[in-house]
Amino acid sequence: MATSSLKFSSSYKKYEIRKKNPDPKTSVLLVIDMQNYFASMAKPMLPNLLTTIHICRQASIPVIFTRHCHKSPAEDGGMLAEWWNNDLIIDGTVESRLLPEIERLAGKDEVMEKNTYSAFVNTRLQQRLMEMGVKEVIVAGVMTNLCCETTAREAFVRGFRVFFSTDATATTDLELHDATLRNLAYGFAYLVDCHRLKDGLLRIK
């Protein structure tokens, strides 16, 4: 998968159609694939993500982290192996590990492994959310237009209310980032950033 370093603006009001705050009693924060493989794009927005995690935990919102990894291109690479010319994140490598700043925050039972764009496919995520009584998901992490967007869309069609972070997600290209925000705001997710989460979640505590 292609990676690069790029800072994204948290301004998203030009795409915003609907406004809503998450309900901390029924929400979970999904932190997608903050791994060494994606460090160049993830680190510029890492402060915003750490703030997002802190805000959610202050509001007693559980956090689930995902880690994307494969056994080998042939064994479980699927279409990703074809699409990315076998450039996959192989489990057990340094690249497959969570960023140190994230690894320190993620308890063992909070990390869910996945091997495709969606955090729902070939995982226990759906069952876990149902067991927790979750009705809303807040999506953050990388990449905005691949794993984050796919997970957000699938959460919506599975019946979850979706909130998508604009300043704690990142990808390779600002146009791709903005395209995701525009698409999700149109049909799938409420857009949020650190400021809105802080105002919306901590104000009601």
Side-chain angles (χ1 to χ4, degrees):
M1 299 179 192
T3 64
S4 70
S5 176
L6 188 64
K7 280 197 173 185
F8 297 110
S9 168
S10 63
S11 176
Y12 56 88
K13 293 184 179 179
K14 60 183 176 180
Y15 305 125
E16 188 172 62
I17 296 174
R18 302 169 182 86
K19 293 183 181 180
K20 196 175 186 69
N21 293 321
D23 179 355
K25 295 179 181 178
T26 58
S27 294
V28 69
L29 172 64
L30 300 180
V31 178
I32 307 296
D33 302 351
M34 289 293 289
Q35 296 162 251
N36 290 324
Y37 183 91
F38 300 106
S40 61
M41 75 176 71
K43 285 196 172 182
M45 64 77 168
L46 184 58
N48 289 335
L49 179 60
L50 295 176
T51 297
T52 298
I53 294 171
H54 178 68
I55 290 169
C56 286
R57 284 185 166 165
Q58 275 192 301
S60 300
I61 293 176
V63 183
I64 295 176
F65 302 83
T66 70
R67 190 174 71 88
H68 190 110
C69 58
H70 296 268
K71 295 176 183 178
S72 72
E75 191 167 350
D76 63 352
M79 277 302 302
L80 288 185
E82 175 182 326
W83 199 259
W84 298 108
N85 298 317
N86 291 332
D87 180 17
L88 301 179
I89 308 170
I90 303 302
D91 195 21
T93 62
V94 173
E95 289 79 10
S96 72
R97 294 188 61 174
L98 296 174
L99 291 171
E101 297 90 341
I102 298 297
E103 197 168 47
R104 287 194 289 268
L105 296 175
K108 189 174 182 181
D109 61 340
E110 295 177 314
V111 180
M112 187 166 294
E113 295 182 359
K114 66 182 188 63
N115 61 10
T116 190
Y117 294 147
S118 173
F120 287 93
V121 175
N122 302 325
T123 72
R124 290 186 65 255
L125 182 58
Q126 172 92 25
Q127 181 179 346
R128 177 88 174 272
L129 297 183
M130 292 179 67
E131 292 169 351
M132 295 166 66
V134 168
K135 297 179 180 178
E136 302 179 350
V137 298
I138 306 165
V139 179
V142 293
M143 296 166 61
T144 308
N145 59 310
L146 294 181
C147 294
C148 293
E149 180 173 353
T150 305
T151 297
R153 286 172 177 258
E154 186 150 357
F156 179 91
V157 299
R158 286 172 182 252
F160 296 97
R161 182 175 293 112
V162 182
F163 297 85
F164 196 87
S165 175
T166 64
D167 63 350
T169 52
T171 188
T172 58
D173 183 284
L174 184 56
E175 289 186 0
L176 291 174
H177 184 80
D178 282 352
T180 287
L181 300 186
R182 186 173 184 178
N183 279 324
L184 292 184
Y186 186 83
F188 299 93
Y190 297 94
L191 301 182
V192 294
D193 62 7
C194 291
H195 301 294
R196 176 162 293 174
L197 283 176
K198 184 177 181 179
D199 289 344
L201 293 175
L202 302 186
R203 182 183 59 206
I204 62 177
K205 279 184 69 68

